[in-house]
Amino acid sequence: MKTKILSALGSAALVSGGATALTCVGLPATPALAIPVFDASNYAQNILTAARTLTSINNQIQSLQNEAQMLINQGKNLARVDFPQLQELQAKLQEIDRLMGQAQGIDFKVGSLDRQFESLFPQDFTALGTRSQRLTSARAQLEAAMGSFRQTMSIQSQIAENVEGDARTLAAIVSRSQGAEGSLAVSQATNQLLALTTKQQFQIQNLMASQFRAEALEQARRGQIERQARDATARFLGDGKAYSPRN
């Protein structure tokens, strides 16, 4: 009996040991849970690297923006300013030159001045012996004086008409000058203002030349009349002995 009990306990122990062995060999073991580890130093280094990279990118973007702005400014500096009024100014000056060329009697040419003046106001009155010749000479002098005054008034009228156009031109140039963005545009606007000023000075010079010519002709005509009157009086009086009694 005792032998059977020991035999049963041995068999149970073998079965239990086999089962344990099978469990250790055939069944997988349950893995342990992974515990996350936070590396603060590595995290700070990554943030610092990212910040430096972002700063570098921002600097590159700013540099590109500066270069683009520089190119834009260079383009503005090279921008031109149109001057459509230039032909109008030239046409007005040509019109005044045409009026100056209409001078009669004595024109504005230095080479022919002496000859024309001597022909109109002769120093020797012997060639004007007859009454008809003296009247013709006086008429030519009067017509020359009147023509010079008429020419002066024509130039004055033309300049007065040009004032309105010059005012519009000045307003347009000033507007373009105020809106100029580059140095070239500013320089061109300044040159345009100088061109307008020069044109006005030319007008004033022509007007002064014409007016002084008219005054000079009138003074010469009056002087010639006085000389002719004195010469006629001297010839009329003779030697002061108009009557010689006879014995």
Side-chain angles (χ1 to χ4, degrees), residues 186-221:
V186 173
S187 300
Q188 288 183 330
T190 303
N191 293 335
Q192 293 171 8
L193 290 173
L194 292 176
L196 178 61
T197 303
T198 303
K199 178 252 185 183
Q200 293 175 343
Q201 291 179 351
F202 285 161
Q203 290 184 154
I204 294 175
Q205 290 177 358
N206 288 329
L207 177 60
M208 293 176 63
S210 178
Q211 185 172 356
F212 290 157
R213 170 180 173 272
E215 294 177 356
L217 281 176
E218 179 61 20
Q219 292 176 359
R221 187 182 72 85

Side-chain angles (χ1 to χ4, degrees), residues 217-247:
L217 281 176
E218 179 61 20
Q219 292 176 359
R221 187 182 72 85
R222 293 179 180 179
Q224 188 77 352
I225 292 175
E226 293 179 1
R227 291 180 61 249
Q228 289 179 351
R230 287 196 301 267
D231 183 74
T233 301
R235 285 188 289 105
F236 176 77
L237 295 178
D239 56 1
K241 298 179 180 180
Y243 174 71
S244 297
R246 300 174 63 183
N247 295 330

Side-chain angles (χ1 to χ4, degrees), residues 148-213:
S148 63
F149 283 115
R150 185 183 303 109
Q151 183 203 26
T152 301
M153 295 180 65
S154 299
I155 295 176
Q156 289 174 348
S157 300
Q158 183 63 45
I159 292 177
E161 292 179 0
N162 293 345
V163 169
E164 183 178 358
D166 291 345
R168 292 193 301 266
T169 302
L170 178 61
I173 294 175
V174 170
S175 177
R176 288 195 294 268
S177 175
Q178 292 177 348
E181 297 180 349
S183 58
L184 178 60
V186 173
S187 300
Q188 288 183 330
T190 303
N191 293 335
Q192 293 171 8
L193 290 173
L194 292 176
L196 178 61
T197 303
T198 303
K199 178 252 185 183
Q200 293 175 343
Q201 291 179 351
F202 285 161
Q203 290 184 154
I204 294 175
Q205 290 177 358
N206 288 329
L207 177 60
M208 293 176 63
S210 178
Q211 185 172 356
F212 290 157
R213 170 180 173 272

Side-chain angles (χ1 to χ4, degrees), residues 1 74 97 100 117 129 147 164 204 209 246-247:
M1 186 66 182
Q74 290 179 355
D97 290 339
M100 294 291 290
F117 192 87
E164 183 178 358
I204 294 175
R246 300 174 63 183
N247 295 330

